[in-house]
Amino acid sequence: METRIESEVRRALGGAAAISAGSEEGETLASWLAERAGGEGLLDIAYAAVDTPLGVATVAATDRGLIRVMLPNEDRDRSLERLAREVSPRILEAPGQVDAPRRELDEYFAGRRRAFDLGLDLRLVHAAFYRQVLEALRKVRFGETLTYGEIAARAGNPRAHRAAGTAVGTNPLPIVVPCHRVVRAGGELGNYGGGPEMKRFLLELEGALPLS
Amino acid sequence: MAAPPFQALIDEHRRSVLAFLRSLVGPADADDCLQETFLAALRAYPPRETSNLRGWIFKIAHNKALDHHRARTRAPHPVGDGGQLDGAGAAAAPAWLGGRSGGTGGREGAIWSAVADLPEGQRAAVLLRFAVDLRYREIGAALDISEEAARRRVSDALQALRSRIATGKES
């Protein structure tokens, strides 16, 4: 049972939490911290939102390069938690530290960029063959499409089309490593982590598909 | 439990840490203390024990508030400021807290000034309990005492508050 003095004190002091700051102050705190932390080498992962025609995506980068592109349909909090577990929990929202990928994605969606010029951090990709697949994918040009078998061959193992499919399907850097350019042999679009609508949109943007 | 992204810690606790700091050091200095708190937290992040991150972040905030008061106590005092110079122990009856009644007045103002008059440890415990709603386990972690001791400290403080307010001592 709460005593009278207890409830009185709670009522009097409880108002303190109400005089709290707005969310902009939170961003100010995070960007101030990111700046200080950057100078001291305390920040391991910076992330920020990027607007796309199909919703808000998120990019995350380490000092080695871009480590994750989270498409609009992805659960961002869960993905950040996974980064915290697998890479480091020193993660801050810091738009200033991911300027380059944000700008390049903006340009890509505006139709002004056909290739990305970004350093990549592939440490979330553990299997050597998966990395080879993603490296091969990086060389697939804007507007070009190919099948899972073809990407497996380009990665050095033509028979490993299933493994290639997994590598493509678990690509941590969609769009920048263009897994949307891999389609089914029969001509169907096939799966896409960002959803079929996103895949169609990207292929249409690149002129690989007639506009629907 | 794995440590969450540091940003999640900011998003979850920034407001209540700020409220706590405002009540300890005053609104003018709370923002600086807030920055210092989260910078120190980031430097130490993740702590070895991640099951009580709320208690952990408030412990850092409390230390920053004490640092702040110590720095003030060391600073040269204008003549006539006296009365409270017994070192860090006096750390901190923040003058602004007593004057807080400005907006509230009456009973509520009396409670705030009585809280301001509490010894530092009790004041922090009461604010953690009632201003920002921490659990005793978290208060214990924040003040580096056991959960039981945190419970006792809050209850002692309440008793002190009751007698102060009852005797009409409103500073």
Side-chain angles (χ1 to χ4, degrees), chain A residues 8 19 40 89-91 93, chain B residues 6-7 22 43 45 107:
Chain A
E8 258 192 302
I19 44 159
E40 290 183 40
R90 293 146 94 97
I91 299 177
E93 180 164 11
Chain B
F6 193 77
Q7 183 69 47
R22 278 182 178 166
R43 285 195 182 116
Y45 199 69
R107 191 85 177 153

Side-chain angles (χ1 to χ4, degrees), chain B residues 1-3 44-56 137 141:
Chain B
M1 196 181 92
Y45 199 69
R48 204 165 303 156
E49 181 54 64
T50 56
S51 65
N52 192 353
L53 286 173
R54 201 149 106 107
W56 180 75
R137 188 173 80 92

Side-chain angles (χ1 to χ4, degrees), chain B residues 127-147:
Chain B
L127 289 169
L128 288 170
R129 181 75 185 119
F130 300 110
V132 290
D133 221 18
L134 258 59
R135 289 175 297 170
Y136 287 111
R137 188 173 80 92
E138 295 165 337
I139 298 172
L143 302 180
D144 231 349
I145 55 182
S146 70
E147 180 174 347

Side-chain angles (χ1 to χ4, degrees), chain A residues 79-171:
Chain A
S79 301
L80 290 172
E81 279 163 20
R82 191 183 148 212
L83 280 174
R85 269 196 317 276
E86 295 187 17
V87 181
S88 163
R90 293 146 94 97
I91 299 177
L92 283 177
E93 180 164 11
Q97 322 258 335
V98 282
D99 259 347
R102 290 168 70 219
R103 194 185 59 245
E104 294 200 7
L105 281 166
D106 280 346
E107 291 166 356
Y108 171 82
F109 281 111
R112 287 184 280 117
R113 172 173 289 277
R114 298 165 70 90
F116 293 96
D117 186 19
L118 297 168
L120 303 186
D121 182 343
L122 288 179
R123 85 179 97 169
L124 293 173
V125 184
H126 301 296
F129 181 66
Y130 289 8
R131 283 189 189 214
Q132 286 164 242
V133 170
L134 298 187
E135 292 295 348
L137 256 181
R138 288 180 81 175
K139 299 187 186 113
V140 178
R141 301 236 179 118
F142 186 93
E144 183 190 348
T145 57
L146 75 177
T147 65
Y148 290 95
E150 285 166 335
I151 194 66
R154 290 192 197 181
N157 188 347
R159 286 182 308 171
H161 65 273
R162 288 188 67 172
T166 308
V168 170
T170 55
N171 173 20

